[in-house]
Amino acid sequence: MRPETLCIHAGYEPGNGGARALPIYQSTTFTFDSTEHVGALFDLTAGDAFYTRLGNPTVDAVEKKIAALEGGVGALCTSSGQAASMLSILNIAQAGDHVVSTAAIYGGTVNLFAVTMKKIGIDVTFVDGDSPLEELQKAIQPNTKAVFGETIANPALNVLDIEKLAQLAHNNGLPLIVDNTFATPILCRPFDFGADIVVHSTTKYMDGHAVQMGGIIVDSGKFDWGASGKFPGLTEPDESYHGLRYTEAFGAAAYITKARVQLMRDMGTCQTPMGAFLLDLGLQTLPLRIRQHSSNALAVAQYLEGKKDIEFINYPGLPSDKYYALTQKYLPEGTAGVISFSIVGGRERAAKFIDSLKLVSLEVHVADIHSCILHPATATHRQLSDQQLIDCGITPGLVRLSIGLENVDDIIEDLEQAFAAIDA
């Protein structure tokens, strides 16, 4: 099935007389006929749902749908995008290990990697993803366990050269983890270009309506976890499951199974049945929405290019953008709805512009049906140092504008009156 069909049909098929809409299994608990069967569940030799933290039929259907959309062997829903990013690393790294990440990523992920991961003994080196492969290779260490990047960086809107980063990772026996939140699998499928693991904040375009927090990890099933000897957690016995070896027991699905039965078991960052139901509603219209977001944003970006108050604009769908060539390769159907641009005069004039908007709302959010705006340096990236801000492509006057599904002429008219109000 093609993506539009998968968004509606994948993951759940009603039986004769069954509910057309995905049922909400609003239960933490399930019952069984025998202790033998329950024992098999805990030995991981039976696959039924037995506790909603580890598996629920509603959540399972959404996991299957997103895995199908990305072209993976399995997926794990989480409570947020941050949880997905965290578990994706902790599933293969521990104290004493190291990760290489591009610098131009979401500020919350920067904090996760630079502060929290460091506290538990995992070091992260941030690199310029635009650097040549030879330069990036210098960041790899003997204890490196993964390479991480974002398809479209938030908020700098750098486009990741997925094939180059995949080459870097694979040359060193490492997996490439890609945050595909802004692109969604409708605009880009990183597995097609060599990525091994994909994560999303489903809170954004997948949900699309700003109603439910969530995240997901998707496993391509293509990475050979045993080849390098660097991933004993997947290849050596897990004593918490009586010596089970994930690569032997679960083959291509070893990574995502371990994430579920070990990390989700212990950390509990699970999605709820109702949350999964709401996410599924969003997924059903994702192809229509993400293409309209892209179309609206391109029109707004073209309008902004001609404004005297703009220092620069980042939108990879513009032919003038430095990432336009990569966009044609990785994102030919559109580059989603987020634009960042820097207003002449820095923080004060940027704040005046934002405060003058009427239709576009000031929100600590991005990527849903409503147009919204934010000043990253004083909000989502407030904890970053000046150098980290520069590394992320953030100037004092930079604003992040998320274009919604309103009539694009109404959006442009609101921006126009706000520009007029800056010096009024």
Side-chain angles (χ1 to χ4, degrees):
M1 291 188 285
R2 292 165 178 81
E4 296 82 357
T5 309
L6 290 171
C7 280
I8 296 172
H9 290 279
Y12 168 68
E13 184 175 343
N16 184 42
R20 173 67 274 179
L22 175 64
I24 305 170
Y25 286 80
Q26 192 61 48
S27 179
T28 62
T29 314
F30 304 87
T31 62
F32 303 95
D33 292 335
S34 71
T35 56
E36 181 181 3
H37 188 90
V38 174
L41 291 168
F42 279 90
D43 283 341
L44 308 182
T45 57
D48 301 328
F50 62 100
Y51 194 63
T52 284
R53 170 158 42 88
L54 292 175
N56 173 283
T58 309
V59 180
D60 177 69
V62 176
E63 290 170 343
K64 286 184 168 66
K65 177 173 288 189
I66 296 175
L69 286 167
E70 286 286 11
V73 297
L76 175 65
C77 279
T78 63
S79 55
S80 68
Q82 283 293 90
S85 295
M86 178 183 70
L87 295 189
S88 75
I89 299 295
L90 294 183
N91 202 34
I92 50 176
Q94 60 186 17
D97 288 336
H98 173 256
V99 172
V100 172
S101 173
T102 56
I105 57 175
Y106 169 56
T109 311
V110 172
N111 290 328
L112 170 66
F113 287 174
V115 179
T116 302
M117 289 292 189
K118 186 174 183 179
K119 288 180 179 179
I120 61 175
I122 300 172
D123 288 328
V124 179
T125 298
F126 294 97
V127 298
D128 181 354
D130 297 338
S131 298
L133 191 62
E134 304 75 35
E135 188 66 25
L136 294 170
Q137 178 63 40
K138 296 176 183 178
I140 302 293
Q141 302 175 12
N143 59 340
T144 304
K145 292 299 179 73
V147 177
F148 186 97
E150 289 183 10
T151 309
I152 305 174
N154 175 13
L157 302 181
N158 299 23
V159 175
L160 188 70
D161 190 342
I162 301 171
E163 287 187 344
K164 181 179 71 176
L165 271 292
Q167 184 178 351
L168 171 71
H170 297 161
N171 284 349
N172 294 278
L174 306 171
L176 173 62
I177 303 173
V178 174
D179 183 335
N180 199 35
T181 295
F182 274 7
T184 80
I186 305 303
L187 300 180
C188 180
R189 299 208 318 173
F191 294 157
D192 293 344
F193 302 100
D196 302 291
I197 305 297
V198 160
V199 298
H200 289 270
S201 169
T202 64
T203 316
K204 310 303 190 298
Y205 287 120
M206 282 188 170
D207 167 279
H209 299 79
V211 296
Q212 181 62 44
M213 299 289 293
I216 196 162
I217 308 169
V218 189
D219 183 359
S220 70
K222 297 177 182 179
F223 190 79
D224 187 344
W225 299 103
S228 67
K230 295 183 177 183
F231 305 99
L234 285 156
T235 60
E236 296 302 313
D238 180 352
E239 297 308 321
S240 68
Y241 284 107
H242 307 293
L244 175 146
R245 299 171 191 258
Y246 292 99
T247 48
E248 287 184 4
F250 301 103
Y255 174 93
I256 202 67
T257 303
K258 178 177 178 291
R260 181 185 305 278
V261 303
Q262 188 185 84
L263 294 182
M264 188 62 76
R265 175 197 67 189
D266 293 346
M267 296 184 177
T269 57
C270 58
Q271 181 56 274
T272 66
M274 188 66 195
F277 175 80
L278 293 171
L279 172 56
D280 187 63
L281 287 180
L283 287 168
Q284 291 175 33
T285 60
L286 177 60
L288 294 172
R289 290 186 291 102
I290 198 66
R291 289 172 179 140
Q292 190 61 50
H293 281 294
S294 298
S295 175
N296 280 0
L298 180 59
V300 171
Q302 290 167 339
Y303 155 78
L304 290 170
E305 269 197 308
K307 300 298 295 181
K308 64 178 178 59
D309 287 297
I310 303 294
E311 286 182 306
F312 63 83
I313 177 172
N314 299 323
Y315 188 68
L318 288 172
S320 59
D321 192 272
K322 65 182 290 189
Y323 295 102
Y324 186 71
L326 287 177
T327 295
Q328 299 310 294
K329 178 178 181 178
Y330 295 116
L331 299 146
E333 291 192 53
T335 51
V338 181
I339 302 168
S340 64
F341 57 95
S342 187
I343 293 179
V344 174
R347 294 181 185 231
E348 185 175 332
R349 295 185 86 240
K352 181 70 178 295
F353 171 77
I354 291 172
D355 291 344
S356 299
L357 290 165
K358 298 176 180 177
L359 175 67
V360 179
S361 54
L362 175 58
E363 297 179 13
V364 186
H365 190 50
V366 67
D368 70 55
I369 60 172
H370 307 88
S371 290
C372 59
I373 197 163
L374 193 69
H375 187 234
T378 55
T380 54
H381 292 64
R382 192 181 187 92
Q383 284 74 33
L384 273 59
S385 68
D386 289 344
Q387 185 57 53
Q388 286 177 317
L389 287 172
I390 292 169
D391 291 342
C392 288
I394 298 171
T395 64
L398 189 82
V399 296
R400 183 186 70 187
L401 175 62
S402 179
I403 302 300
L405 299 185
E406 303 92 347
N407 184 287
V408 71
D409 292 331
D410 291 332
I411 298 170
I412 291 173
E413 286 175 9
D414 190 33
L415 298 175
E416 182 68 19
Q417 65 83 26
F419 278 119
I422 290 178
D423 299 314

